[in-house]
Amino acid sequence: MDQLYRVKQLIMVSSKKLYLAMIFTAVVAWVMLIVFVAAIFRSAFGFGESLVAVPLLALLMPLNIAVPLSVLVSVTIAVFVVAQDHQKIHFKSAANLVIYALIGIPIGLWLLTHAAQQPVKILLGLVILVFAGYLLSGARLKELKTDSKWWLLGCGLLSGILGGAYGLNGPPLVIYGAKRRWSAQHFRATLQAYFLVASLTGVIGYWISGLLNQTLFNYYLWSLPAVVPAVLIGRKANTMIQDGDRFFKYSYIILAALGMLLILNAIG
């Protein structure tokens, strides 16, 4: 009887381990798929992967793992794109945007920890949504022939504030790229130079906060095989967009989605 009991216990333990292994494998597969789609999105348009990655990853893991994972993937994509297309980067513009963004990030973090989140998110979402709708109506931003110190300051600072508070660096950068009439290829490459520094700064912040742990790194390592082909696919899609106006029209649609997502997040 004792031997039969031990056999039953062994079968139960083995079945439980098999079940957990199947669940684990399924989660890893979903993480790889989500990262793959988000990385294509980011590589093609230069921003907005958090719109895809964070809400879906949060269904599989806590936010304090999903958000840093998205940022680690962001750094990886930026490294690939900068290495591939560094000749298309407007380095002076990217450097100034980064400098002003670094000033704005602490302000965003202060808003995150001190401001009433719901009304701020709803107001910000409405502003982004209305502005995107205005641009989608056919209105064109006045062109900047050369870099403008004040526009760099405004867009960089606002990007840092939005990034520090809500991880939404993209909207002000889209505005600046549209005003400068950058091509899809130059916009994508320049933003990756910006995100490389900005995302690395975020990773340092997560490290100081103790959010970088073995579980996070495991998910990151499992997602890497999905990143490389996604970046190449997104790059191919980006090079196929020769019409700058059409590219920024797609970007305005993404902005509208970001604004709507922010409002839904606040209401939810």
Side-chain angles (χ1 to χ4, degrees):
M1 292 294 292
D2 290 341
Q3 187 176 4
L4 181 60
Y5 176 76
R6 285 197 296 270
V7 170
K8 287 182 178 180
Q9 287 293 103
L10 182 60
I11 292 173
M12 289 176 63
V13 170
S14 299
S15 299
K16 186 176 181 180
K17 287 182 177 179
L18 178 61
Y19 174 74
L20 292 175
M22 291 172 64
I23 294 294
F24 174 78
T25 303
V27 169
V28 170
W30 275 110
V31 168
M32 291 181 69
L33 179 61
I34 292 167
V35 168
F36 179 73
V37 174
I40 291 176
F41 198 87
R42 163 71 173 274
S43 183
F45 292 100
F47 75 106
E49 84 286 353
S50 59
L51 177 69
V52 178
V54 173
L56 295 177
L57 288 173
L59 298 175
L60 303 171
M61 61 188 71
L63 268 177
N64 60 2
I65 293 179
V67 175
L69 176 59
S70 177
V71 174
L72 285 173
V73 170
S74 172
V75 171
T76 307
I77 296 170
V79 168
F80 272 103
V81 175
V82 168
Q84 282 182 317
D85 297 316
H86 56 87
Q87 72 277 7
K88 294 186 175 71
I89 296 173
H90 294 288
F91 281 101
K92 185 177 178 181
S93 301
N96 281 292
L97 287 169
V98 166
I99 290 170
Y100 295 129
L102 291 177
I103 298 172
I105 287 173
I107 301 173
L109 292 173
W110 184 88
L111 284 174
L112 180 64
T113 54
H114 291 82
Q117 294 300 300
Q118 188 179 42
V120 172
K121 283 185 178 182
I122 291 174
L123 178 61
L124 178 60
L126 285 172
V127 170
I128 293 174
L129 198 57
V130 169
F131 186 73
Y134 169 72
L135 292 173
L136 284 170
S137 71
R140 286 172 63 87
L141 295 170
K142 186 177 179 181
E143 181 180 359
L144 286 174
K145 299 290 186 181
T146 59
D147 278 333
S148 162
K149 180 178 69 175
W150 295 111
W151 274 98
L152 283 167
L153 170 62
C155 292
L157 186 67
L158 190 57
S159 176
I161 293 171
L162 295 180
Y166 309 111
L168 296 177
N169 304 72
L173 304 178
V174 173
I175 294 169
Y176 193 78
K179 285 189 68 64
R180 292 286 283 113
R181 300 293 191 269
W182 287 339
S183 69
Q185 292 73 45
H186 284 91
F187 180 79
R188 170 182 178 267
T190 303
L191 256 65
Q192 300 325 295
Y194 166 92
F195 277 119
L196 180 57
V197 179
S199 296
L200 278 173
T201 304
V203 170
I204 293 171
Y206 295 138
W207 173 65
I208 294 172
S209 303
L211 293 176
L212 302 185
N213 53 51
Q214 190 59 51
T215 301
L216 171 62
F217 282 120
N218 286 341
Y219 279 122
Y220 172 65
L221 291 174
W222 289 320
S223 69
L224 282 180
V227 172
V228 177
V231 170
L232 296 176
I233 294 170
R235 184 174 187 256
K236 180 65 176 177
N238 181 268
T239 57
M240 293 171 64
I241 305 174
Q242 299 299 325
D243 184 347
D245 288 339
R246 186 173 60 160
F247 172 78
F248 280 105
K249 184 176 181 180
Y250 294 152
S251 298
Y252 302 150
I253 293 172
I254 298 170
L255 285 186
L258 285 171
M260 183 62 70
L261 182 66
L262 206 58
I263 294 171
L264 292 175
N265 178 265
I267 295 173

